[in-house]
């Protein structure tokens, strides 16, 4: 995912901000990483360039 | 990369009808959001000239769509998305499905509209206002099987105006593309 996508992503449960951690990226986009909601203590992984924003309970 | 095309809704007549409507409706400068992008066929046709974000709940669909060069997010409708979009496209699961008819694989999400065929459409209608820009437009694909009057009434109750911009007769059903805007826009 492009870094600019952070502007439109939020926690699916509380709609709060997500903290980005990048584990692997190329010049165009983030390939592997994590989006963390501190309020919910929830993690939403970025895998193969795709953020997975399904709430933990429904995965 | 886990993209099993047999687990992804491949373009059919409904896809092409919505695509046609989208190409006619889209304006320069539109921020486009496609919910349930499936194969990514529709979003891919718009991405060269417009900002497009594509979503799907199906983990195979998101990887298949990404191969089209799209910005793809895995999520359930708008859950996890904020911001405002001028044009929102959705070819929803619209078939009335009885519990004993469920197929229990990822294609289920593409087809199963619950007992009435309108369960997902109702959830969509109830929250789409949060991500629709002022003056924004929705294009929604439905079928006679979904219930056109019921869908029009559903959106009307949420404060939207509905018009039919495309109709196509297939065997056993007619398809419609609905253009939906906020009442008073």
């Amino acid at each position: 995912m492009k870094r600019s996508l952070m502007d439109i992503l939020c926690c699916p449960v509380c709609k709060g901000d997500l903290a980005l951690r990048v584990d692997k990226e190329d010049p165009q986009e983030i390939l592997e990483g994590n989006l963390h909601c501190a309020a919910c203590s929830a993690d939403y992984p970025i895998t193969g360039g795709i953020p997975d924003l399904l709430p933990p309970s429904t995965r | 990369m886990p993209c099993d095309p047999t687990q992804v809704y491949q373009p059919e007549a409904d896809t092409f009808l919505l695509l046609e409507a989208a190409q006619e409706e889209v304006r320069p400068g539109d921020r486009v959001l496609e919910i349930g992008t499936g194969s990514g066929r529709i979003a891919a046709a718009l991405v060269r000239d417009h900002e497009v974000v594509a979503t799907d709940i199906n983990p195979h669909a998101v990887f298949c769509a990404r191969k089209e060069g799209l910005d793809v997010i895995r999520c359930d409708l708008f859950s996890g998305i904020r911001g405002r979009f001028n044009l929102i496209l959705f070819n929803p699961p619209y078939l009335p499905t009885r519990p004993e008819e469920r197929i229990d694989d990822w294609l289920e999400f593409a087809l199963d509209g619950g007992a009435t065929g309108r369960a997902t459409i109702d959830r969509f209608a109830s929250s789409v206002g949060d991500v629709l820009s002022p003056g924004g437009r929705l294009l929604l694909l439905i079928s006679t099987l979904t219930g056109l009057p019921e869908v029009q009434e559903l959106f009307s109750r949420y404060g939207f105006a509905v018009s039919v911009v495309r109709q196509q007769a297939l065997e056993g059903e007619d398809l419609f593309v609905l253009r939906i805007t906020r009442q008073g826009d």
Side-chain angles (χ1 to χ4, degrees), chain A residues 2 8 10 17 48 51-53, chain B residues 31 66 71 74 80-82:
Chain A
K2 302 192 184 81
I8 65 158
C10 63
D17 293 342
D52 185 336
L53 292 174
Chain B
R31 285 184 78 195
R66 182 177 147 82
D71 287 331
R74 183 178 184 218
I81 306 245
R82 63 182 170 194

Side-chain angles (χ1 to χ4, degrees), chain B residues 43 83 92 163:
Chain B
S163 64

Side-chain angles (χ1 to χ4, degrees), chain A:
Chain A
M1 61 170 252
K2 302 192 184 81
R3 267 180 200 267
S4 57
L5 221 59
M6 285 303 291
D7 293 341
I8 65 158
L9 299 180
C10 63
C11 175
V13 176
C14 74
K15 308 210 194 299
D17 293 342
L18 296 169
L20 170 66
R21 184 191 80 224
V22 177
D23 295 330
K24 183 172 167 199
E25 61 185 322
D26 71 20
Q28 271 80 51
E29 53 181 337
I30 298 158
L31 298 171
E32 310 287 329
N34 188 68
L35 297 162
H36 180 72
C37 175
C40 297
S41 293
D43 288 304
Y44 301 97
I46 302 167
T47 311
I50 298 177
D52 185 336
L53 292 174
L54 285 195
S57 54
T58 65
R59 261 178 231 153

